[in-house]
Amino acid sequence: QVQLVESGGGLVQSGGSLRLSCKASGDILEHYIVGWVRQAPGKEREGVQCISSGDSITYYTDALKGRFTISRDNAKNMVYLRMNNLMPEDTGVYYCAADFGWSTCPPNGLEYEAWGQGTQVTVSS
């Protein structure tokens, strides 16, 4: 089973940018669908974006489509989430998640078999 470790979170001012990284070990990430899921304080987890093994991208929130971009580097066994024009409502824990069994991204953005520990993103106003 693949193991996932996120990095790149931190404190940023409103309007700033961050790039989150998800490093995989134990298997070849290229064979997995990989998604980013976030959880704001006091709220349920929500799917952000997902990239299939064929590099098809699923967007779960239209409001983020123009500001967030998921990508993968198969040579490095990594997936990234570039976040631009960050807003205070983007504050939360961001998780990288992956699944080998799906050929397409999960409809609800939450059904994955492997999860990272999460990285905190805090956006100040």
Side-chain angles (χ1 to χ4, degrees), residues 9-25:
L11 174 64
V12 63
Q13 290 187 335
S14 181
S17 298
L18 286 173
R19 188 182 76 161
L20 304 183
S21 299
C22 175
K23 175 66 175 175
S25 62

Side-chain angles (χ1 to χ4, degrees), residues 45-88:
R45 290 185 180 184
E46 65 170 348
V48 175
Q49 293 181 9
C50 172
I51 186 165
S52 73
S53 56
D55 289 345
S56 175
I57 296 174
T58 299
Y59 303 91
Y60 296 103
T61 306
D62 287 341
L64 301 179
K65 190 174 182 178
R67 297 192 293 119
F68 289 14
T69 304
I70 191 171
S71 62
R72 67 197 306 160
D73 185 336
N74 293 329
K76 295 183 179 179
N77 222 28
M78 294 189 70
V79 169
Y80 305 98
L81 183 68
R82 178 67 180 181
M83 306 185 295
N84 295 326
N85 192 23
L86 283 160
M87 304 176 183

